[in-house]
Amino acid sequence: MAVSENKITVKDLDFHYGEKQVLHALNLNIPPNKIFSVIGPANSGITTLLRAINRLSELSPDARARGDILLDGQSVYAPQVDVSELRRKVGMVFDVPAPLPMSIFDNIAYGPRLAKVRNKSVLAETVEGALRAAALWDEVKDRLRAPASSLSGGQQQRLCIARVLALKPEVILLDRPCSGLDPVSTAKIEDSLTELKERLTIVVSPHNIQQAGRVSDRVAFMLSGRLVEEGANAEIFSNPKDQRTSDYITGRFG
Amino acid sequence: MKSTRLSLSPRAAERVIKVFVWAVALSIMAVLVSIVVFILYKGLPVINAGFLTEIPRRMGREGGIASPIVGTLLVTALAVLLATPFGMGTAFYLAEYTRDGAVTRIIRFSAESLAGIPSIVYGLFGFIFFVMYLNLGWSVLSGGLTLAVMILPTIIRTSEEAVRSVPTIYREVSFSLGGTKWQTIRGAVFPSAVRGIANGIILSIGRSVAETAAVVLTAGSALRMPDGVFAPARTMAVHFYILASEGISMDNAYGTAAVLIILIFLINIAANMLIDRLATKGR
C-alpha cells in the first residue's frame, strides 16, 4: 500500500448526472483520525461527493465521474477494486434513520453476514461491540430481537452508525446524520463521533453551521459543486479567507 | 356569497359522506356474509366423514368428494408452483434488473393483456396446446400448466408492484454495507416485498381453486382418484358446476361449495401465518 499522509485524496473530481455537472474540479485532502466537515447550502454537491467516495453514486445509471479519489493512496475507481470491499472500508450513514425492516440484532449483523461471517458467537460479539461504540448498547441490550422500527428516531440513527461500525470500517461518511433529530440525540451522536475519530476517519456533512463548529477538526466550504476554501476549524470560523465563506457562516445566505 | 344551488353546510356534507361510505362498506360486508352463510347453511349438513373421504358414486349423486378435493389441491398446487418462480423472476427483472424501455413496455403490455383474457380462452389454449399438441391429455399436468399461464400475469403485476414499493433507501443501505446486487435483493428487498408478493399468490390460489372453464377443458372431469400428474382429474369447482348444471344433486353441490369455501379460508389463514413468519424473520 502506498504511504500517504492523507486518508482520502480527491483529485480534480468532475461529477455528472447525465448532462448536469454536479462537481467541478474538486480537490480535497482528508487527513486520518480527524472529523472532516463539508459544509455548504443545499445543492452544493456535498451528498454527491460523499457518495462518490464509496461509489454509491454508481447506483444511478447516468452518473459519471472524471478525476480520481484515492483511499490510502490507491484509486477507488481502479478496475481491480472490489466495490463491496471498498464499501465495507468506507461506511455510510444516511440523512434519514434507515433501519432495515428486521430486528435490532439482524440490522447490525446485516453487513457482517453479507461478508460471510456465520459464527454465532463472533456475530454476537460484533453486534455488542458496535452497539457499545455507538452508545446504544445499554438502551437495547434487553431487546435485541425487537424490530428496529420500534426504536426512537435518535436511537435508529445510532443503530445505523452501529451497523456501519460492525464492519470495522476505516472511514465513515455521514450525510446530515442529525437532520430531524432532537438536541439530546444529536449530542449523543456528536459525542460518539468525537470518540470514534480515535480509530477512524470521519467525513460528515453537518446539518448546520453550529454543529460543524462543535465537532469538526477541519472544515471545507462548498458552493455550487466547487470548493471555496478548506482549513482548520478555527481558521474557517474565525478567519475565513473568502468573503463567501464569511457570508455563509455568519448566516448571510444558505 | 350566496349560492343559488341547493347546497349543504360543510358539516352536514361531512355527515352525509360518512353515512354513505359506512353504508357502502356495510352492504359489501352483508353481501359477502350472506353468500357464505347461505352456502354453509345449505352445505354443512351434507358434510360428514364419508363425504370427505369417499369417491363420488353414481355421477356424484352418492358418495363423497374425496377425488375432487385431491384434484383441486393437485391442480392448484402445480399451477402456483409453476407460476410463482416465473412470475417473481419476471417481476424482479422488470423492477430491479432493467431500465424502462421498449422491452419492459412490451412485457408489461403482454402481462396486462393476458390478465384481461377470459378464462375460457385459456382453457381453449390449454386444450389445443397442452392436451392435444403436447399430447398430455386431460390431466392434472395440463390443468396445472393452463392455470399457471392464467395466473402468471397476476403474479407478475402484484410482485412487481410490491418490489417497486420497497423504499430505495433499503437498497442503498444494503449496497453501502458491501452488499452485492443479489445479496441486496435477497436480504433487503425481498423481506419488504414478501407481503405484497404473497398477496398476489394468495389471490392466484383463490382464482385457481375457483376456476371452472379453463380446468374442465384441460384436466377433464374424471371422477376417479387421480394417481399422478398425468391422470385426469375433476376439481371441486368443476364437480360443483356439473352437479348443479346437470341437476344431479343440489345437496351435494352445496356440500362441495361449502368445502370449497372452507378450503379457501384455510389456505388464506395458513398463507398469512407463513407470510408473517417470512416478513418478520427477514432473512
Side-chain angles (χ1 to χ4, degrees):
Chain A
M1 199 184 286
V3 182
S4 166
E5 278 179 35
N6 294 308
K7 187 68 188 171
I8 299 168
T9 308
V10 178
K11 275 166 64 176
D12 291 323
L13 185 67
D14 285 339
F15 205 99
H16 290 80
Y17 283 114
E19 294 297 300
K20 193 171 169 242
Q21 186 163 4
V22 188
L23 296 176
H24 301 263
L26 200 65
N27 282 290
L28 276 179
N29 290 313
I30 300 176
N33 300 96
K34 295 273 190 287
I35 298 184
F36 190 99
S37 286
V38 189
I39 60 171
N43 297 319
S44 296
I46 298 170
T47 298
T48 303
L49 168 64
L50 296 182
R51 284 169 169 254
I53 298 174
N54 71 348
R55 288 177 58 177
L56 201 62
S57 52
E58 287 171 12
L59 297 187
S60 316
D62 57 351
R64 241 168 349 106
R66 207 168 45 222
D68 209 349
I69 297 176
L70 309 180
L71 178 71
D72 292 321
Q74 307 273 339
S75 170
V76 302
Y77 288 105
Q80 72 272 18
V81 169
D82 175 351
V83 183
S84 292
E85 199 56 48
L86 170 73
R87 289 176 186 156
R88 280 192 271 271
K89 268 197 252 176
V90 184
M92 177 167 254
V93 176
F94 296 86
D95 57 347
V96 288
L100 294 170
M102 50 186 80
S103 73
I104 294 170
F105 186 95
D106 288 341
N107 260 280
I108 312 288
Y110 188 86
R113 279 177 177 149
L114 293 185
K116 307 289 177 206
V117 178
R118 294 265 182 269
N119 186 302
K120 283 215 163 92
S121 59
V122 173
L123 278 176
E125 267 171 48
T126 306
V127 169
E128 177 172 347
L131 284 168
R132 282 189 190 280
L136 191 59
W137 174 252
D138 290 333
E139 293 161 60
V140 302
K141 64 182 173 200
D142 299 322
R143 47 176 178 138
L144 293 175
R145 298 287 161 192
S149 54
S150 67
L151 299 172
S152 74
Q155 289 174 325
Q156 288 185 8
Q157 195 59 305
R158 279 181 285 149
L159 176 87
C160 294
I161 293 175
R163 188 168 59 190
V164 168
L165 293 175
L167 288 166
K168 310 201 166 54
E170 298 169 13
V171 179
I172 303 189
L173 314 167
L174 302 103
D175 188 6
R176 296 179 196 268
C178 301
S179 59
L181 295 190
D182 59 279
V184 178
S185 304
T186 303
K188 282 185 180 163
I189 288 177
E190 289 176 6
D191 287 347
S192 17
L193 292 186
T194 312
E195 263 175 50
L196 286 169
K197 73 175 178 183
E198 304 291 326
R199 48 190 172 105
L200 35 79
T201 305
I202 294 170
V203 186
V204 58
S205 154
H207 75 289
N208 58 33
I209 309 280
Q210 290 78 6
Q211 185 174 46
R214 282 193 301 271
V215 301
S216 323
D217 297 302
R218 295 190 74 82
V219 179
F221 174 53
M222 281 176 65
L223 196 59
S224 312
R226 290 184 171 83
L227 179 70
V228 176
E229 71 174 293
E230 186 269 334
N233 185 337
E235 247 173 76
I236 296 285
F237 280 97
S238 54
N239 193 17
K241 293 189 202 74
D242 195 293
Q243 185 59 37
R244 289 169 296 174
T245 314
S246 162
D247 288 348
Y248 181 69
I249 60 178
T250 53
R252 208 164 293 175
F253 75 97
Chain B
M1 210 190 293
K2 198 166 176 265
S3 170
T4 49
R5 288 170 58 197
L6 182 67
S7 69
L8 292 165
S9 77
R11 269 172 62 99
E14 194 67 34
R15 211 167 302 143
V16 168
I17 293 294
K18 213 171 183 176
V19 169
F20 175 73
V21 292
W22 264 96
V24 171
L26 277 179
S27 54
I28 294 293
M29 279 283 290
V31 170
L32 181 70
V33 169
S34 53
I35 291 174
V36 171
V37 168
F38 177 72
I39 298 289
L40 292 181
Y41 172 76
K42 290 277 207 178
L44 282 180
V46 184
I47 301 175
N48 53 39
F51 191 70
L52 296 175
T53 55
E54 285 168 24
I55 286 173
R57 292 190 304 272
R58 297 186 59 220
M59 301 303 287
R61 258 178 219 94
E62 290 167 17
I65 56 164
S67 49
I69 291 176
V70 172
T72 303
L73 294 177
L74 283 178
V75 170
T76 303
L78 194 63
V80 171
L81 289 177
L82 288 169
T84 300
F86 281 98
M88 280 174 57
T90 309
F92 275 101
Y93 170 75
L94 288 173
E96 298 283 338
Y97 279 93
T98 184
R99 297 180 72 182
D100 277 344
V103 179
T104 59
R105 267 201 300 278
I106 290 168
I107 295 175
R108 246 181 237 116
F109 179 76
S110 315
E112 261 156 50
S113 309
L114 285 172
I117 292 177
S119 63
I120 185 81
V121 177
Y122 283 103
L124 202 60
F125 164 76
F127 178 71
I128 293 167
F129 189 68
F130 298 123
V131 177
M132 306 296 284
Y133 182 73
L134 294 184
N135 207 17
L136 298 173
W138 279 320
S139 62
V140 171
L141 187 59
S142 299
L145 284 165
T146 306
L147 287 185
V149 175
M150 186 183 90
I151 62 179
L152 195 58
T154 310
I155 295 185
I156 293 173
R157 284 174 54 180
T158 51
S159 301
E160 192 196 349
E161 192 87 2
V163 173
R164 280 192 189 277
S165 66
V166 174
T168 311
I169 187 80
Y170 290 173
R171 299 182 179 85
E172 294 186 337
V173 164
S174 178
F175 280 118
S176 76
L177 293 168
T180 60
K181 180 131 196 162
W182 170 237
Q183 286 176 324
T184 296
I185 288 176
R186 213 182 44 154
V189 178
F190 181 73
S192 314
V194 69
R195 202 168 282 276
I197 293 172
N199 279 335
I201 295 173
I202 292 173
L203 207 68
S204 305
I205 293 176
R207 278 187 67 197
S208 305
V209 168
E211 182 52 39
T212 313
V215 182
V216 75
L217 286 170
T218 52
S221 56
L223 283 169
R224 60 188 160 80
M225 184 65 83
D227 56 2
V229 292
F230 294 104
R234 177 185 285 207
T235 66
M236 279 190 274
V238 171
H239 189 55
F240 169 85
Y241 170 74
I242 292 174
L243 289 185
S245 65
E246 316 248 316
I248 296 172
S249 165
M250 279 317 278
D251 284 348
N252 284 352
Y254 281 123
T256 310
V259 173
L260 197 60
I261 284 181
I262 294 167
L263 181 76
I264 290 174
F265 275 133
L266 290 179
I267 290 173
N268 275 348
I269 292 168
N272 275 310
M273 280 163 59
L274 187 71
I275 297 167
D276 280 341
R277 271 184 64 89
L278 281 173
T280 50
K281 268 185 80 185
R283 54 186 302 135

